[in-house]
Amino acid sequence: MASREALGGFLADRRWMTRVLDQTYAGMNELAAAGRYPFPTGPDGKQLRNGLQGPEYMRRMRIRVQRAGVRILDHSPVTELLTAPSGAVAGARGHRRQAGQSYRVRAGAVVLATGGCAFLSGALGCNVNTGDGALFAAEVGAELSGMEFSNAYGIAPEGTSVTKTAFYSFATFYREDGTVLEGAASQGGRSVIARTLLNEKVYCRLDRAGSAARQAMRLAQPNFFLTFDRLGINPFTQRFAVTLLAEGTVRGTGGIRITGDDCSTTVPGLYAAGDAATRELICGGFTGGGSHNAAWAISSGTWAGGGAVRHARSLGARAATRRLTAAGGAGLRPTGTPGPADGFREVVAAVQGEVLPYEKNYLRHGDRLAAALEVLDSLWKESRASLHGGGNTERARQAVAMTAHARWMYTSALARTETRGMAKRLDFPAQDPGQHHRIVTGGLDQVWTRTEPLTTAPTASTAPAAPLEVAS
C-alpha cells in the first residue's frame, strides 16, 4: 500500500485498499470452488490463484448467471436510465441491435458497469468505452470524482492497437537518427516520448531483456508478441516505431463518485462498479493496467451487486408499480431543430480533436486546457440543441457521452492547479500540500466542481520528498 500511495498523490484510502484485497482474495477462491476456474498449478500441485485470463473468466461468469436464471441481452446497448417520481433510479431503456427493436427494464436498482472513456482512440480493449454510464449517471443527478486523473496514454507499436506497456520497462527508445532518446521510459519518462512525437518518430527496442526474461515474457503475455510476429519484427533485436494511444478514464482513475461501502452513488437506486466508478479510493490519482483494476472490478462488482439487491428488496411491492420517467437528454431529445441523423460523426471527430493530441491532454497547460474546454462547451450546446440518433441512437449517445466526459476532465484539470498523480500541469509542476483533496464534479449544461476533504492526511514519513515526474 505504501509503495503506491506516493504515485497516487496520497489520495487513496487504506481502509478501502484493505477491503479490496480481502474481497479479491475471497472472490478468487469462490471462482475456483464455485466457478471451477482452471487456475494453473505450481510444482507442488497447488493452484496459483494470482491471475485470470479474460475470455475464460467471462465465459464462466456468464454460465453462472445464466444458471441463476438471468436473462442476458447481447448486443443491446442501454441508451438511458429511468427514474421514479422520487428521483430514484428505477430501470433502463435501450436498443436491441440484432432484433431491431427497443427494450425497457423495470428494476429496483441499477448497477452501472459500463467502463470508462477512451474516446475511440483505437486502443485494444478500450475502443468500446465511450463513457456512456457516466452520462447516464449525470443525467439523474449523480456526481463524479477524480476526473482530472484522465490523461493516461499507453505505448503501442505504430499503426497497431496493443497498449500492454509492462514489457517496455526493458526498452531503449531512440530518435529517428538512431541516437538514444534520453529520459524516455515507460515509467517516469513517457512525457519525453510524447514531446518528441510532436516533431519526429520515436523508435524502440526491448534490448534490455536477457534470454531468460525473453522466454518468460512470451509465456506471460503471448498476445503482446502477436503483433510483432505478424509484422515479422523481432522486438528484442529490431527497432520499431511506437506511438501513444489515449486510454482516458479506462486507465485513469476518475469516474462516478462512490458514497458508501456498497458502491452506492448520490442517487438512490444507482450503483457503480469497475472503471465506471472512481478508483481514487484504492489508487488515488494514478493506476495502471492489470492487478489494481482487476481487483477493483471483482470487489466493486460484488459490493454494488449486493447493495443493489438490498435496495431493491427494501422497496417491496412498490418497485413494480412506480411510474417511470425517461432521463435521457442530449442525443435523444433535442431542445431545438434536429440536425442530420449522422451528425454524431462530426461530434466524435471534434471531441477527439480536443482530447487525443498529446499537447492538449497529456502535456497539459492551463491555457491549452481552457481553449479546448471552450470548444467543448460550444460543442455540447450545439449537440444538446440539434443532435439526434435517428437510426443510430446509441452512436449519438456515445458522441454526447464523450463530449460530457471531456468537459468534466478538463474542468477538473483546471481546478487542480498543481501536479499530483497523473494530473500533471506544465504551469504548476509541483505538488501543493494545500490541495490534498479530491475534486468532485458534475452537471451537463453547466459543469461545476467542488473540493472534498480527505479523512486522513499524509504523515511526515510517507510524504513525497520530491515532486513526481512532470511533463515539461
Side-chain angles (χ1 to χ4, degrees):
M1 294 182 195
S3 68
R4 299 288 300 188
E5 285 175 329
L7 284 173
F10 300 96
L11 297 178
D13 185 321
R14 284 205 178 189
R15 186 180 74 85
W16 275 84
M17 297 168 83
T18 301
R19 293 183 71 219
V20 166
L21 288 170
D22 291 342
Q23 185 62 59
T24 302
Y25 184 80
M28 293 289 275
N29 289 336
E30 179 186 355
L31 188 62
R36 298 183 179 180
Y37 186 88
F39 288 104
T41 56
D44 59 358
K46 294 183 178 180
Q47 288 187 339
L48 303 175
R49 300 176 184 177
N50 57 3
L52 298 170
Q53 295 296 322
E56 179 63 20
Y57 175 42
M58 294 303 296
R59 186 178 76 84
R60 290 175 182 271
M61 293 294 287
R62 183 183 178 94
I63 291 172
R64 290 191 70 188
V65 296
Q66 284 179 321
R67 287 177 176 173
V70 176
R71 182 185 179 192
I72 301 173
L73 301 182
D74 289 317
H75 301 282
S76 303
V78 171
T79 53
E80 63 182 329
L81 295 180
L82 305 174
T83 60
S86 65
V89 171
R93 178 182 287 168
H95 178 72
R96 302 196 66 186
R97 288 174 175 162
Q98 294 176 330
Q101 62 187 32
S102 60
Y103 68 90
R104 190 184 79 157
V105 175
R106 178 185 291 273
V110 169
V111 177
L112 290 173
T114 52
C117 182
F119 300 99
L120 299 177
S121 67
L124 183 67
C126 299
N127 218 42
V128 293
N129 298 130
T130 50
D132 302 38
L135 174 68
F136 304 155
E139 286 178 330
V140 297
E143 300 174 341
L144 299 101
S145 182
M147 294 301 288
E148 68 273 30
F149 305 118
S150 50
N151 53 336
Y153 282 75
I155 303 172
E158 185 182 57
T160 73
S161 61
V162 180
T163 55
K164 290 181 176 293
T165 57
F167 293 160
Y168 288 100
S169 61
F170 295 96
T172 302
F173 296 90
Y174 302 87
R175 294 185 178 275
E176 282 187 300
D177 62 7
T179 59
V180 173
L181 180 58
E182 297 295 338
S186 174
Q187 297 180 354
R190 216 171 291 187
S191 59
V192 175
I193 300 173
R195 288 199 305 272
T196 307
L197 284 171
L198 295 176
N199 301 302
E200 61 178 287
K201 285 190 176 184
V202 172
Y203 291 83
C204 173
R205 185 167 57 212
L206 306 181
D207 47 18
R208 295 166 53 200
S211 57
R214 295 179 184 185
Q215 184 178 6
M217 289 159 69
R218 279 194 171 272
L219 290 174
Q221 290 190 1
N223 57 347
F224 173 85
F225 295 96
L226 184 61
T227 295
F228 297 108
D229 294 341
R230 288 175 174 173
L231 294 174
I233 296 173
N234 184 334
F236 300 112
T237 61
Q238 295 175 269
R239 291 193 307 152
F240 55 94
V242 295
T243 189
L244 298 176
L245 297 179
E247 295 173 317
T249 54
V250 176
R251 288 284 178 90
T253 65
I256 300 167
R257 179 170 171 255
I258 298 301
T259 60
D261 284 359
D262 58 356
C263 289
S264 52
T265 71
T266 50
V267 178
L270 185 65
Y271 299 77
D275 292 351
T278 180
R279 276 145 290 157
E280 292 172 292
L281 295 167
I282 66 164
C283 295
F286 177 88
T287 185
S291 59
H292 303 83
N293 292 344
W296 175 245
I298 291 172
S299 303
S300 61
T302 300
W303 297 327
V309 167
R310 287 188 291 273
H311 180 83
R313 286 176 175 169
S314 72
L315 298 173
R318 288 180 296 151
T321 59
R322 293 181 296 178
R323 177 172 54 85
L324 304 185
T325 301
L332 276 175
R333 300 174 180 89
T335 58
T337 303
D342 63 349
F344 61 85
R345 301 182 191 277
E346 293 184 4
V347 175
V348 169
V351 173
Q352 289 177 325
E354 302 303 323
V355 297
L356 297 186
Y358 312 139
E359 67 271 23
K360 293 184 180 181
N361 192 13
Y362 193 53
L363 306 173
R364 288 177 172 177
H365 188 284
D367 292 342
R368 291 194 289 270
L369 288 172
L373 186 56
E374 185 176 350
V375 173
L376 292 165
D377 285 342
S378 177
L379 184 63
W380 174 265
K381 291 179 182 178
E382 295 172 5
S383 300
R384 185 72 185 92
S386 62
L387 185 65
H388 71 106
N392 290 288
T393 300
E394 62 268 27
R395 296 291 298 277
R397 292 290 275 169
Q398 286 179 335
V400 294
M402 288 169 54
T403 309
H405 226 82
R407 294 169 71 225
W408 294 319
M409 282 169 41
Y410 283 177
T411 301
S412 297
L414 283 168
R416 188 171 287 285
T417 52
E418 63 163 353
T419 286
R420 186 182 294 269
M422 69 169 61
K424 302 171 183 176
R425 288 279 298 269
L426 299 183
D427 45 344
F428 295 99
Q431 191 173 107
D432 177 8
Q435 297 188 50
H436 182 238
H437 53 238
R438 298 195 180 103
I439 294 179
V440 179
T441 187
L444 292 166
D445 294 332
Q446 294 293 328
V447 176
W448 52 265
T449 64
R450 75 166 190 271
T451 61
E452 179 184 30
L454 273 69
T455 55
T456 58
T459 63
S461 61
T462 59
L468 299 176
E469 182 267 343
V470 59
S472 60

